[in-house]
Amino acid sequence: MKNYLYSGDSLYIPVDFDAKAGDVVVAGKLVGVASADATAGDRVVLVTRGVFWINKTANDVFAIGDGVYWNATTKRATATAIGNALIGVATEPAVASAAHVQVKVG
């Protein structure tokens, strides 16, 4: 195809906060995980497809296939959809006491 650019599994975008490798980055409807540290205003390679361990909100519970949302205030995954961005789906169950949820992004 003459209009094909690239796979889009990773994108080089600016971040609006000091990001660490492994941080969730939400830019509008675009969601991914930072592949390296970056200072606010700098660009980082954002991995937009894959499965990642993401820190989650205490007491939230996830079943396989549940939507996982991002709370930009707490910087944690949450089961609460209202006011939060959808970042992917849970690929393994996560109990209330778990620190992380396994999330398929993209």
Side-chain angles (χ1 to χ4, degrees):
M1 289 178 286
K2 64 182 180 180
N3 60 338
Y4 178 83
L5 297 175
Y6 49 86
S7 71
D9 291 345
S10 59
L11 302 170
Y12 192 55
I13 69 163
V15 290
D16 60 1
F17 65 98
D18 291 343
K20 299 287 184 199
D23 282 353
V24 171
V25 176
V26 177
K29 298 287 184 184
L30 183 62
V31 174
V33 176
S35 64
D37 295 353
T39 303
D42 288 345
R43 290 180 169 265
V44 68
V45 174
L46 185 69
V47 181
T48 61
R49 194 165 90 178
V51 179
F52 302 88
W53 285 110
I54 306 292
N55 291 336
K56 74 171 195 66
T57 302
N59 298 321
D60 279 6
V61 175
F62 295 91
I64 294 173
D66 282 354
V68 180
Y69 301 87
W70 185 247
N71 182 319
T73 302
T74 65
K75 305 281 190 219
R76 295 191 173 276
T78 180
T80 303
I82 297 171
N84 298 308
L86 179 66
I87 61 169
V89 296
T91 58
E92 288 291 330
V95 297
S97 61
H100 305 89
V101 59
Q102 193 172 329
V103 182
K104 181 186 182 307
V105 173

